[in-house]
Amino acid sequence: MSGQKIVKPSAENLVSAAKAAGKKGPPPVHLWNPPFCGDLDMRIARDGTWWYLGTPMGRKELVKLFSSIIRKDGDDYFLVTPVEKVGITVDDAPFVAVDFEVSGTGSDQTLTFTTQVDDTAEAGPDHPIRVARDPETGEPSPYVLIRANLEALIDRKSFYRLVDIGCHENVEGTSWFGVWSGGKFFPIIASAELGES
């Protein structure tokens, strides 16, 4: 080694850097290319709870701060500042959509989702909704894109509300049940699987 000091990643360092970087709006994490500094014992559970060193993080302000500097490169998630990049574990998606508002009706309908950290996204071409199905159980897992390849898992109560406002549309010759938002139809399940066509 050339005497270069290796700084062990710490939540405290990330907090200071994130606060400094976010003073003028959302931090531009997509523009930063700092060196990888290792993994941090930080995990986002499927229900959206953030854990640090095996303990849930109770301070929402801190969770919001960390969520502002998360980035996904390939299949991996990182917290990124101008000076360091640390790996974290994400069980499913980094966000959970806990509610949504509806404006308009039919194909003019717009759905605006809110996450557990108060991010909002208007579903549409730039913020698509997708539904993944468990290959064994068929259980649906619905997601909405929040920002730069970071999705939110749509929570169960919100998904039930989506189903309540859904409709059937023809997609490439097949009838699908889904929802409209932002001028785009998002298929949820083939109508035939619901016993309708």
PDB file of all heavy atoms in Angstrom, residues 12-27:
ATOM      1  N   GLU A  12     -22.475   7.854   9.721  1.00  0.00           N
ATOM      2  CA  GLU A  12     -22.258   9.237  10.119  1.00  0.00           C
ATOM      3  C   GLU A  12     -21.639  10.056   8.983  1.00  0.00           C
ATOM      4  O   GLU A  12     -22.043  11.180   8.711  1.00  0.00           O
ATOM      5  CB  GLU A  12     -21.360   9.308  11.369  1.00  0.00           C
ATOM      6  CG  GLU A  12     -21.993   8.721  12.625  1.00  0.00           C
ATOM      7  CD  GLU A  12     -22.049   7.182  12.646  1.00  0.00           C
ATOM      8  OE1 GLU A  12     -21.233   6.537  11.945  1.00  0.00           O
ATOM      9  OE2 GLU A  12     -22.924   6.641  13.331  1.00  0.00           O
ATOM     10  N   ASN A  13     -20.620   9.470   8.310  1.00  0.00           N
ATOM     11  CA  ASN A  13     -19.992  10.164   7.177  1.00  0.00           C
ATOM     12  C   ASN A  13     -21.009  10.417   6.075  1.00  0.00           C
ATOM     13  O   ASN A  13     -21.036  11.481   5.456  1.00  0.00           O
ATOM     14  CB  ASN A  13     -18.834   9.345   6.597  1.00  0.00           C
ATOM     15  CG  ASN A  13     -17.655   9.265   7.541  1.00  0.00           C
ATOM     16  OD1 ASN A  13     -17.602   9.960   8.545  1.00  0.00           O
ATOM     17  ND2 ASN A  13     -16.707   8.391   7.232  1.00  0.00           N
ATOM     18  N   LEU A  14     -21.853   9.405   5.814  1.00  0.00           N
ATOM     19  CA  LEU A  14     -22.858   9.533   4.763  1.00  0.00           C
ATOM     20  C   LEU A  14     -23.867  10.625   5.093  1.00  0.00           C
ATOM     21  O   LEU A  14     -24.291  11.370   4.220  1.00  0.00           O
ATOM     22  CB  LEU A  14     -23.598   8.206   4.561  1.00  0.00           C
ATOM     23  CG  LEU A  14     -22.801   7.104   3.867  1.00  0.00           C
ATOM     24  CD1 LEU A  14     -23.529   5.781   3.975  1.00  0.00           C
ATOM     25  CD2 LEU A  14     -22.576   7.463   2.407  1.00  0.00           C
ATOM     26  N   VAL A  15     -24.261  10.714   6.354  1.00  0.00           N
ATOM     27  CA  VAL A  15     -25.231  11.732   6.777  1.00  0.00           C
ATOM     28  C   VAL A  15     -24.685  13.122   6.469  1.00  0.00           C
ATOM     29  O   VAL A  15     -25.363  13.947   5.862  1.00  0.00           O
ATOM     30  CB  VAL A  15     -25.572  11.597   8.283  1.00  0.00           C
ATOM     31  CG1 VAL A  15     -26.322  12.822   8.779  1.00  0.00           C
ATOM     32  CG2 VAL A  15     -26.394  10.352   8.532  1.00  0.00           C
ATOM     33  N   SER A  16     -23.435  13.397   6.880  1.00  0.00           N
ATOM     34  CA  SER A  16     -22.845  14.723   6.644  1.00  0.00           C
ATOM     35  C   SER A  16     -22.778  15.036   5.159  1.00  0.00           C
ATOM     36  O   SER A  16     -23.158  16.120   4.729  1.00  0.00           O
ATOM     37  CB  SER A  16     -21.432  14.812   7.206  1.00  0.00           C
ATOM     38  OG  SER A  16     -21.348  14.142   8.420  1.00  0.00           O
ATOM     39  N   ALA A  17     -22.304  14.071   4.373  1.00  0.00           N
ATOM     40  CA  ALA A  17     -22.154  14.308   2.936  1.00  0.00           C
ATOM     41  C   ALA A  17     -23.510  14.478   2.255  1.00  0.00           C
ATOM     42  O   ALA A  17     -23.669  15.329   1.376  1.00  0.00           O
ATOM     43  CB  ALA A  17     -21.380  13.154   2.290  1.00  0.00           C
ATOM     44  N   ALA A  18     -24.499  13.690   2.672  1.00  0.00           N
ATOM     45  CA  ALA A  18     -25.833  13.790   2.068  1.00  0.00           C
ATOM     46  C   ALA A  18     -26.481  15.124   2.392  1.00  0.00           C
ATOM     47  O   ALA A  18     -27.120  15.741   1.545  1.00  0.00           O
ATOM     48  CB  ALA A  18     -26.718  12.644   2.545  1.00  0.00           C
ATOM     49  N   LYS A  19     -26.306  15.577   3.632  1.00  0.00           N
ATOM     50  CA  LYS A  19     -26.871  16.876   4.018  1.00  0.00           C
ATOM     51  C   LYS A  19     -26.251  17.985   3.181  1.00  0.00           C
ATOM     52  O   LYS A  19     -26.941  18.867   2.678  1.00  0.00           O
ATOM     53  CB  LYS A  19     -26.622  17.150   5.503  1.00  0.00           C
ATOM     54  CG  LYS A  19     -27.606  16.449   6.418  1.00  0.00           C
ATOM     55  CD  LYS A  19     -27.333  16.807   7.874  1.00  0.00           C
ATOM     56  CE  LYS A  19     -28.339  16.130   8.772  1.00  0.00           C
ATOM     57  NZ  LYS A  19     -27.981  16.219  10.187  1.00  0.00           N
ATOM     58  N   ALA A  20     -24.940  17.952   3.029  1.00  0.00           N
ATOM     59  CA  ALA A  20     -24.246  18.982   2.259  1.00  0.00           C
ATOM     60  C   ALA A  20     -24.681  18.946   0.795  1.00  0.00           C
ATOM     61  O   ALA A  20     -24.932  19.981   0.179  1.00  0.00           O
ATOM     62  CB  ALA A  20     -22.735  18.779   2.363  1.00  0.00           C
ATOM     63  N   ALA A  21     -24.805  17.735   0.242  1.00  0.00           N
ATOM     64  CA  ALA A  21     -25.133  17.585  -1.176  1.00  0.00           C
ATOM     65  C   ALA A  21     -26.579  17.939  -1.484  1.00  0.00           C
ATOM     66  O   ALA A  21     -26.893  18.343  -2.591  1.00  0.00           O
ATOM     67  CB  ALA A  21     -24.851  16.150  -1.613  1.00  0.00           C
ATOM     68  N   GLY A  22     -27.467  17.777  -0.503  1.00  0.00           N
ATOM     69  CA  GLY A  22     -28.891  17.997  -0.757  1.00  0.00           C
ATOM     70  C   GLY A  22     -29.394  19.377  -0.401  1.00  0.00           C
ATOM     71  O   GLY A  22     -30.600  19.606  -0.372  1.00  0.00           O
ATOM     72  N   LYS A  23     -28.485  20.328  -0.171  1.00  0.00           N
ATOM     73  CA  LYS A  23     -28.913  21.667   0.245  1.00  0.00           C
ATOM     74  C   LYS A  23     -29.755  22.380  -0.809  1.00  0.00           C
ATOM     75  O   LYS A  23     -30.609  23.172  -0.495  1.00  0.00           O
ATOM     76  CB  LYS A  23     -27.701  22.527   0.601  1.00  0.00           C
ATOM     77  CG  LYS A  23     -27.072  22.143   1.931  1.00  0.00           C
ATOM     78  CD  LYS A  23     -26.530  23.352   2.636  1.00  0.00           C
ATOM     79  CE  LYS A  23     -25.706  23.040   3.858  1.00  0.00           C
ATOM     80  NZ  LYS A  23     -26.333  22.272   4.877  1.00  0.00           N
ATOM     81  N   LYS A  24     -29.513  22.089  -2.081  1.00  0.00           N
ATOM     82  CA  LYS A  24     -30.234  22.789  -3.154  1.00  0.00           C
ATOM     83  C   LYS A  24     -31.072  21.796  -3.955  1.00  0.00           C
ATOM     84  O   LYS A  24     -30.899  21.660  -5.152  1.00  0.00           O
ATOM     85  CB  LYS A  24     -29.257  23.489  -4.088  1.00  0.00           C
ATOM     86  CG  LYS A  24     -28.457  24.573  -3.404  1.00  0.00           C
ATOM     87  CD  LYS A  24     -27.429  25.174  -4.341  1.00  0.00           C
ATOM     88  CE  LYS A  24     -26.598  26.213  -3.620  1.00  0.00           C
ATOM     89  NZ  LYS A  24     -25.359  26.501  -4.311  1.00  0.00           N
ATOM     90  N   GLY A  25     -31.983  21.094  -3.285  1.00  0.00           N
ATOM     91  CA  GLY A  25     -32.852  20.149  -3.987  1.00  0.00           C
ATOM     92  C   GLY A  25     -32.282  18.743  -3.955  1.00  0.00           C
ATOM     93  O   GLY A  25     -31.283  18.482  -3.272  1.00  0.00           O
ATOM     94  N   PRO A  26     -32.900  17.815  -4.721  1.00  0.00           N
ATOM     95  CA  PRO A  26     -32.462  16.424  -4.691  1.00  0.00           C
ATOM     96  C   PRO A  26     -31.011  16.279  -5.139  1.00  0.00           C
ATOM     97  O   PRO A  26     -30.606  16.862  -6.136  1.00  0.00           O
ATOM     98  CB  PRO A  26     -33.394  15.719  -5.685  1.00  0.00           C
ATOM     99  CG  PRO A  26     -34.537  16.657  -5.889  1.00  0.00           C
ATOM    100  CD  PRO A  26     -34.013  18.036  -5.620  1.00  0.00           C
ATOM    101  N   PRO A  27     -30.215  15.511  -4.394  1.00  0.00           N
ATOM    102  CA  PRO A  27     -28.816  15.309  -4.788  1.00  0.00           C
ATOM    103  C   PRO A  27     -28.713  14.631  -6.156  1.00  0.00           C
ATOM    104  O   PRO A  27     -29.449  13.687  -6.430  1.00  0.00           O
ATOM    105  CB  PRO A  27     -28.265  14.396  -3.688  1.00  0.00           C
ATOM    106  CG  PRO A  27     -29.196  14.548  -2.537  1.00  0.00           C
ATOM    107  CD  PRO A  27     -30.535  14.836  -3.131  1.00  0.00           C
TER     108      PRO A  27
END
